[in-house]
């Protein structure tokens, strides 16, 4: 297949077809995984916005896709039967590139966040202050002033999206068979891994279709796909061409080119999360009220946690955890923050990711 045969102005699936003209792309598994993440986020954020306490067992059921799980999200607008009928879960894929002990630690961290969010949500009628969970402006904070819903969402961008796309599908997944078709399908295992990676990044056939340099499209991207656009302005235009060229290379069985394009995608995703972490640390500086500062730092915390999965830049849990400990590891967390702690976190991230 000629590389010139694909175009960034055309949809992903329509450009890869078999001799009968049927698409060889099946990215539904990836899209389903992305929707699972959105549905969990819906439960957490909708409960807070409506003043309904969080139930950690429901959040856990959604994350593990067990019990009622997604079926508890009536009114969310998602195809709940499709989500609950999937043969995998968010927790199956959290930190799945790592050792068993790291996987267990990541899952335990999410369970702890669910439990802490449930506890904090019992104080929705209170005003947040030192040692008191409650609302500050529109945000629900725990007793340390941490907006756990944002920490959870941004942590999953790294532990779920970045790790599974970058460190599984586009790393170990590149060794999948590319010589025979998957049983009853018209694609190889390697083609499928690549397509699932694309589907887990974006639901759009053309990534960021309708977006401009400064304006979001009519349907906003979610998670990693959105932050690539927002926090890596030089890198996000490389993503769709890399996915297309890499897919052509798979058709041609040119594994050197496949790996080259995968490395482009991984590096740009990781840069986006590093820049997002820096961006929210910066917003703590510029915010004009405590509620906005708390909101900004919670997003920053989640992104800093996510940096442990930035393997292109050799970041790891030790790197991430040390920054978080120095930033909000004191007894009063957010309430103890000062400019020196923010600066130390910024310096560490910039050094690791070669950001000037």
């Amino acid at each position: 297949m000629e590389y010139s045969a694909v175009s960034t102005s055309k949809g992903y699936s329509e450009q890869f077809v078999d001799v009968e003209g049927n698409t060889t792309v099946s990215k539904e598994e990836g899209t389903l995984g992305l929707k699972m993440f959105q549905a969990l986020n819906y439960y957490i954020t909708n409960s807070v916005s409506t003043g309904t306490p969080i139930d950690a067992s429901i959040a856990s059921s959604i994350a593990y896709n067990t019990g009622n799980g997604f079926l508890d999200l009536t009114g969310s607008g998602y195809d709940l039967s499709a989500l609950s009928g999937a043969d995998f879960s968010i927790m199956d894929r959290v930190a799945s590139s790592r050792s068993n002990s790291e996987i267990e630690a990541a899952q335990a961290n999410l369970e702890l966040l669910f439990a802490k969010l449930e506890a904090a949500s019992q104080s929705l009628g209170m005003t947040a202050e030192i040692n008191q969970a409650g609302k500050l402006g529109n945000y629900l904070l725990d007793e340390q002033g941490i907006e756990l819903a944002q920490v959870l969402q941004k942590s999953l961008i790294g532990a779920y999206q970045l790790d599974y796309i970058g460190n599984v599908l586009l790393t170990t997944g590149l060794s999948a068979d590319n010589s025979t078709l998957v049983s009853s399908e018209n694609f190889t295992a390697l083609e499928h891994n690549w397509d699932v990676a694309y589907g887990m990044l974006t639901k759009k056939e053309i990534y960021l279709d309708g977006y401009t340099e400064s304006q979001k499209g009519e349907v906003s991207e979610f998670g990693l796909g959105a932050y690539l656009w927002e926090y890596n302005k030089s890198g996000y235009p490389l993503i769709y061409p890399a996915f297309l060229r890499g897919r052509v290379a798979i058709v041609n069985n040119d594994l050197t080119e496949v790996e080259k394009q995968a490395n482009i995608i991984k590096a740009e995703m990781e840069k986006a999360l590093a820049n997002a972490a820096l961006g929210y640390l910066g917003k703590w500086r510029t915010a004009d009220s405590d509620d906005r500062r708390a909101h900004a730092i919670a997003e920053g915390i989640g992104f800093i946690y996510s940096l442990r999965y930035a393997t292109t830049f050799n970041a790891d849990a030790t790197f991430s955890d040390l920054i978080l400990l120095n930033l909000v590891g004191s007894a009063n967390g957010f309430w103890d923050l000062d400019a020196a702690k923010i600066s130390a976190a910024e310096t560490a991230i910039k050094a690791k990711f070669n950001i000037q």
Side-chain angles (χ1 to χ4, degrees), residues 94 104 119 141 155 187 215 249 276 303 311 324:
V94 162
E104 291 170 1
L141 312 183
S155 295
F187 49 75
Q215 296 294 320
F303 279 120
T311 56
L324 291 174

Side-chain angles (χ1 to χ4, degrees), residues 214-235:
S214 59
Q215 296 294 320
K216 292 181 179 180
E218 290 183 7
V219 180
S220 178
E221 292 284 357
F222 177 81
L224 184 53
Y227 286 100
L228 256 167
W229 170 80
E230 187 172 356
Y231 281 100
N232 190 353
K233 291 299 188 186
S234 63

Side-chain angles (χ1 to χ4, degrees), residues 39-40 42-44 46-47 50 52-85:
L40 176 60
Y42 168 85
Y43 173 67
I44 292 166
N46 187 62
S47 294
T50 58
T52 306
I54 295 287
D55 185 331
S57 66
I58 292 177
S60 182
S61 181
I62 293 169
Y64 281 102
N65 198 9
T66 57
N68 286 331
F70 295 103
L71 301 180
D72 286 310
L73 302 181
T74 301
S76 67
Y78 292 101
D79 183 348
L80 303 179
S81 61
L83 296 177
S84 62

